[in-house]
Each structure stands twice: as structure tokens, then as C-alpha cells.
């Protein structure tokens, strides 16, 4: 069992930066692939970034590639999402997700079993 708690959301102007963190509890974190998803207002949840269990493999949605960076610290049981050059269209609730997986990190939400409660990110123009 893994419990996830996101933090770091807030209001930022376009062009600014935010760093989201996800703290995980449970002994299996280091065996988990981790992902970040977001759900804009009135839209479906969408994939943002994923990182494999070791941290050596990452993947990104085209919409955030080059602006967002996912990382993890298995010693601290945390995964982070550094978001730079934020745009108004990045406004959404951001969710951290995890799944016990020692292969390539999944990029679809139905492949993740553990979810955080979400944190709001609002980017003003």
C-alpha cells in the first residue's frame, strides 16, 4: 500500500515557475513507477510526466516537454515536478500517481493504482 500527498500548488503568473512535490508512505515506493497527471477545468485527466522506479527513465507529454522536469528521491520517498515557463493552459488540478512496476513507467492513468488527492495550479495571464 502506498499513500501519496501532493504539495506545492498555487497561483503563479504566466512565465513563472512552480515545484510540485509528492510524498509517499509505504515500503514499496522504490519499486514504483511514478507519474504526474493533471485535470484542467471541464476536461479529462491527462498524462504529464512519468519516471521509472530507478529514476533513470522519464517520459513527458509533448505539451510540457522542455518546460517540466520530473525527478524522484527514493531515499526520501518523494517525487517532484519542476514546472517552468508556465502558461495559462497549464491551469489544472495536478495529481501524483504510483504503481508497482519495475519496467517502463506507464503513461496512461488506468495503469496507476495509487493516487494523491491533487493540488491546484492556477496560471494567470
Amino acid at each position: 500500500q502506498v499513500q501519496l500527498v501532493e504539495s506545492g500548488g498555487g497561483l503563479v503568473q504566466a512565465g513563472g515557475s512552480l515545484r510540485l512535490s509528492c510524498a509517499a508512505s509505504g515500503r514499496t515506493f522504490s519499486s514504483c513507477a511514478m507519474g504526474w497527471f493533471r485535470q484542467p477545468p471541464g476536461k479529462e485527466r491527462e498524462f504529464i510526466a512519468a519516471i521509472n522506479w530507478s529514476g533513470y527513465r522519464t517520459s513527458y507529454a509533448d505539451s510540457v516537454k522542455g518546460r517540466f522536469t520530473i525527478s524522484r528521491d527514493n531515499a526520501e520517498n518523494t517525487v517532484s515536478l519542476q514546472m517552468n515557463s508556465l502558461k495559462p493552459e497549464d491551469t489544472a488540478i495536478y495529481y501524483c500517481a504510483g504503481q508497482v512496476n519495475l519496467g517502463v513507467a506507464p503513461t496512461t492513468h488506468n495503469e496507476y493504482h495509487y493516487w494523491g488527492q491533487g493540488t491546484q495550479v492556477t496560471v494567470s495571464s
Side-chain angles (χ1 to χ4, degrees), residues 48-68:
I48 294 303
I51 189 166
N52 77 327
W53 67 274
S54 67
Y56 286 115
R57 292 187 177 182
T58 59
S59 59
Y60 297 92
D62 288 343
S63 59
V64 305
K65 200 171 293 183
R67 300 189 296 125
F68 291 10

Side-chain angles (χ1 to χ4, degrees), residues 12-60:
V12 64
Q13 288 188 334
S17 298
L18 280 176
R19 185 177 180 87
L20 304 183
S21 294
C22 176
S25 63
R27 297 182 178 181
T28 59
F29 176 79
S30 60
S31 300
C32 284
M34 300 298 297
W36 284 97
F37 291 77
R38 69 186 182 189
Q39 188 162 12
K43 297 183 179 180
E44 295 186 352
R45 194 168 299 190
E46 61 184 19
F47 167 75
I48 294 303
I51 189 166
N52 77 327
W53 67 274
S54 67
Y56 286 115
R57 292 187 177 182
T58 59
S59 59
Y60 297 92

Side-chain angles (χ1 to χ4, degrees), residues 23-122:
S25 63
R27 297 182 178 181
T28 59
F29 176 79
S30 60
S31 300
C32 284
M34 300 298 297
W36 284 97
F37 291 77
R38 69 186 182 189
Q39 188 162 12
K43 297 183 179 180
E44 295 186 352
R45 194 168 299 190
E46 61 184 19
F47 167 75
I48 294 303
I51 189 166
N52 77 327
W53 67 274
S54 67
Y56 286 115
R57 292 187 177 182
T58 59
S59 59
Y60 297 92
D62 288 343
S63 59
V64 305
K65 200 171 293 183
R67 300 189 296 125
F68 291 10
T69 302
I70 188 172
S71 60
R72 69 187 295 160
D73 185 335
N74 284 347
E76 297 292 330
N77 278 17
T78 59
V79 60
S80 299
L81 185 70
Q82 178 66 42
M83 306 186 295
N84 298 328
S85 302
L86 283 161
K87 305 175 182 180
E89 51 263 43
D90 294 318
T91 295
I93 299 174
Y94 283 69
Y95 296 91
C96 172
Q99 176 61 32
V100 176
N101 184 321
L102 296 180
V104 176
T107 60
T108 56
H109 66 84
N110 59 359
E111 294 183 89
Y112 285 90
H113 182 72
Y114 305 111
W115 290 88
Q117 82 288 352
T119 186
Q120 176 71 46
V121 171
T122 303

